[in-house]
């Protein structure tokens, strides 16, 4: 009798292939986790062997005189079907990109202030889960300079903050969860004023700080387009600091526009800031910009919005380095260079074509990813044409042995 080989049914073959794929994925994930843990151990060993006094300084908590408290959102969406239904669009940040961006943001704050700043991160996850997602065991537990990320405090975004006019298409035709989240900065920021603490600074996840000149913790301030001297996109919302009175003025303005059935600004807070600034310029001709800080402090208008660039006119802020164009690498590559040969210090051409020291750079989520996240330490900043500019960026982020 001739033996016949049994043919496996299609489903059985498919099940075996699927099982093999699952096993392969599990192995890859375990190898990746082991690599991260090993890399983290190597980083820690390097820190111990360096014994750098400057590294220890960077891990020392900032005093209130050295740096303000910073606040940001880190809302990541891994584009599951449920997430897409909730947010009505693909997420701007995956959890992996969000973790890497948070690391770069925190590193820039520590490096520019020379101490371990306190950064409050409001996420769409419970704090213990967010910490695990954004600061995992391994390299992500350390800044780009190899210092421990001790100053990050996680919070869950208050879900009621999403219920604002920018989540209501009857009020704002282009309303969405993402626009509502941007508007929710105001409510989140207010938490810190209610608690009676020092005036904090809001900073977006896709913003990088290179110098202390980027902030002012003594007055309510915003970033102004063309240093506050132009009306188009008059203010930006990537960094700002408000006191209680200014914050309430923003709320009153929003209610006024809604009650009078007027169109709300496309870009929520920065639109509100722009309207307030234009009004205060018209109402007080003696405070037409530029306004000196002393004149501001002596003003009867205690809640006057201040343009932070006025305190440091020789610095570049926000989108200055991309000539106020969309901050894509192609607009930055020829403009960023080293400042006067100083290690870790940058300069770029301002709108007048003058060399200007860089205080901060702002991006959008896509342009930020293309500039910072699509590279590693070995290939970072290759888009910058000037070798000195590339070296200065690498020194700032990756060379903790160099004091800035």
């Amino acid at each position: 009798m001739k033996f016949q080989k049994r043919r496996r049914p299609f489903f059985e073959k498919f099940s075996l292939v699927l099982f093999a794929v699952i096993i392969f994925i599990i192995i890859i994930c375990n190898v990746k986790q082991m690599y991260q843990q090993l890399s983290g151990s190597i980083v820690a060993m390097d820190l111990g062997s360096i014994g750098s006094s400057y590294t220890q300084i960077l891990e020392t908590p900032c005093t209130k005189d050295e740096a303000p408290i910073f606040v940001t959102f880190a809302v990541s969406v891994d584009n599951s079907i449920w997430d897409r239904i909730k947010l009505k669009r693909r997420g701007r940040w995956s959890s992996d990109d969000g973790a890497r961006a948070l690391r770069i943001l925190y590193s820039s704050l520590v490096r520019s202030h020379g101490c371990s700043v306190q950064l409050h991160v409001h996420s769409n996850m419970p704090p213990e889960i967010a910490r695990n997602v954004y600061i995992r065991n391994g390299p992500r537990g350390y800044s780009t300079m190899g210092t421990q990320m001790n100053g990050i405090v996680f919070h869950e975004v208050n879900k009621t903050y999403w219920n604002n006019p920018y989540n209501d298409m009857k009020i704002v035709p282009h309303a969405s969860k993402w626009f509502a989240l941007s508007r929710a900065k105001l409510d989140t920021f207010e938490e810190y004023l209610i608690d009676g603490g020092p005036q904090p600074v809001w900073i977006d996840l896709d913003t990088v700080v290179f110098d202390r000149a980027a902030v002012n913790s003594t007055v309510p301030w915003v970033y102004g387009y063309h240093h506050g001297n132009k009306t188009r996109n008059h203010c930006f919302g990537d960094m700002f600091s408000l006191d209680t009175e200014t914050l309430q003025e923003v709320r009153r303005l929003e209610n006024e526009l809604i009650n009078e059935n007027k169109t709300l600004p496309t870009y929520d807070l920065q639109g509100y800031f722009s309207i307030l600034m234009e009004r205060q310029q018209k109402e007080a001709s003696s405070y037409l910009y530029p306004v000196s800080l002393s004149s501001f402090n002596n003003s009867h208008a205690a809640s006057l919005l201040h343009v932070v660039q006025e305190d440091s006119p020789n610095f570049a802020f926000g989108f200055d380095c991309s000539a106020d164009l969309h901050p894509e690498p192609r607009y930055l590559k020829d403009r960023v260079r080293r400042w006067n040969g100083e290690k870790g210090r940058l300069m770029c051409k301002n709108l007048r074509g003058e060399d200007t020291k860089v205080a901060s750079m702002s991006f959008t989520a896509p342009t930020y990813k293309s500039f910072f996240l699509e590279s590693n330490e070995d290939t970072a900043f290759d888009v910058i044409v000037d070798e000195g500019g590339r070296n200065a960026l690498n020194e700032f982020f990756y060379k903790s042995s160099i004091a800035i």
Side-chain angles (χ1 to χ4, degrees):
M1 181 176 177
K2 188 175 181 181
F3 176 77
Q4 291 184 346
K5 186 176 181 182
R6 184 176 71 89
R7 292 186 177 182
R8 297 180 184 272
F10 172 78
F11 179 77
E12 185 177 346
K13 291 181 179 179
F14 178 77
S15 299
L16 289 172
V17 171
L18 181 61
F19 178 76
V21 170
I22 292 174
I23 293 298
F24 178 76
I25 292 175
I26 292 174
I27 292 173
I28 292 297
C29 291
N30 286 335
V31 169
K32 182 180 179 181
Q33 185 176 6
M34 291 173 60
Y35 169 77
Q36 289 178 342
Q37 292 175 346
L38 178 61
S39 299
S41 300
I42 292 173
V43 171
M45 290 171 60
D46 288 344
L47 285 175
S49 61
I50 292 173
S52 168
S53 59
Y54 187 66
T55 298
Q56 294 174 0
I57 291 174
L58 293 180
E59 292 181 340
T60 303
C62 300
T63 66
K64 64 179 181 179
D65 294 327
E66 290 176 318
I69 292 172
F70 291 89
V71 186
T72 193
F73 278 150
V75 175
S76 62
V77 180
D78 288 321
N79 297 316
S80 67
I81 294 177
W82 175 237
D83 284 330
R84 294 188 198 184
I85 291 174
K86 287 191 297 184
L87 293 173
K88 303 178 183 178
R89 62 185 296 177
R90 290 178 62 85
R92 297 183 181 183
W93 298 99
S94 67
S95 56
D96 185 66
D97 285 346
R100 295 169 65 198
L102 181 61
R103 181 182 184 228
I104 291 171
L105 168 60
Y106 183 75
S107 300
S108 78
L109 293 175
V110 169
R111 192 65 148 144
S112 59
H113 287 81
C115 50
S116 180
V117 303
Q118 189 173 133
L119 174 63
H120 288 260
V121 180
H122 291 255
S123 171
N124 54 331
M125 316 170 196
E128 62 277 8
I129 296 177
R131 177 165 290 279
N132 182 55
V133 168
Y134 291 110
I135 306 180
R136 300 182 183 129
N137 292 330
R140 288 195 183 126
Y142 296 88
S143 70
T144 58
M145 297 87 66
T147 59
Q148 296 186 43
M149 297 167 66
N150 296 325
I152 297 181
V153 182
F154 286 96
H155 311 265
E156 187 170 7
V157 177
N158 188 324
K159 293 181 175 59
T160 64
Y161 294 167
W162 298 67
N163 299 323
N164 60 61
Y166 284 83
N167 197 26
D168 187 343
M169 296 186 70
K170 294 179 181 178
I171 302 176
V172 179
H174 60 277
S176 73
K177 288 288 186 182
W178 284 111
F179 280 106
L181 178 66
S182 179
R183 165 58 181 78
K185 294 178 189 178
L186 193 70
D187 306 279
T188 304
F189 190 89
E190 188 177 24
E191 292 181 9
Y192 296 86
L193 300 179
I194 292 174
D195 289 342
Q199 184 175 312
V201 171
W202 182 274
I203 182 168
D204 281 352
L205 189 61
D206 49 15
T207 297
V208 179
V209 174
F210 291 97
D211 195 280
R212 293 188 187 193
V215 302
N216 182 332
S217 57
T218 60
V219 295
W221 57 265
V222 293
Y223 277 3
Y225 175 78
H226 284 202
H227 284 220
N229 292 314
K230 299 287 184 180
T231 56
R232 184 174 68 84
N233 293 332
H234 205 80
C235 299
F236 296 111
D238 49 320
M239 285 187 75
F240 62 84
S241 185
L242 308 177
D243 60 10
T244 301
E245 188 170 356
T246 310
L247 188 142
Q248 292 306 322
E249 281 195 13
V250 175
R251 290 196 185 281
R252 285 193 288 270
L253 172 62
E254 182 176 69
N255 291 332
E256 171 194 323
L257 295 176
I258 293 173
N259 293 335
E260 296 179 2
N261 292 320
K262 293 184 177 179
T263 302
L264 297 188
T266 301
Y267 296 108
D268 54 275
L269 292 187
Q270 71 183 62
Y272 293 148
F273 296 158
S274 299
I275 293 172
L276 289 176
M277 183 171 291
E278 289 170 2
R279 286 184 176 182
Q280 69 191 27
Q281 287 182 345
K282 292 177 181 177
E283 293 171 358
S285 58
S286 60
Y287 290 97
L288 286 174
Y289 291 95
V291 182
S292 68
L293 187 57
S294 60
S295 297
F296 171 83
N297 288 332
N298 294 327
S299 167
H300 65 281
S303 59
L304 184 68
L305 274 175
H306 186 63
V307 178
V308 73
Q309 291 102 312
E310 294 170 13
D311 301 328
S312 306
N314 297 320
F315 279 81
F317 294 78
F319 299 124
D320 288 351
C321 286
S322 57
D324 281 330
L325 299 171
H326 203 59
E328 298 175 19
R330 58 177 172 160
Y331 297 129
L332 293 169
K333 65 178 184 178
D334 296 317
R335 301 175 64 87
V336 176
R337 291 179 288 156
R338 185 194 295 277
W339 171 259
N340 288 346
E342 294 184 25
K343 292 184 179 297
R345 294 294 186 183
L346 294 176
M347 69 178 181
C348 68
K349 294 288 185 182
N350 63 17
L351 296 169
R352 297 183 298 275
E354 302 165 338
D355 289 334
T356 309
K357 200 171 183 179
V358 178
S360 68
M361 286 187 187
S362 298
F363 297 82
T364 61
T367 58
Y368 183 92
K369 292 175 187 178
S370 63
F371 191 82
F372 283 105
L373 304 188
E374 295 178 2
S375 62
N376 53 45
E377 182 177 350
D378 296 327
T379 62
F381 318 119
D382 280 354
V383 67
I384 301 300
V385 173
D386 181 71
E387 182 180 2
R390 294 197 302 272
N391 290 340
L393 282 162
N394 273 292
E395 290 159 0
F396 182 88
F397 281 106
Y398 295 108
K399 308 298 180 183
S400 63
S401 58
I402 298 176
I404 302 298

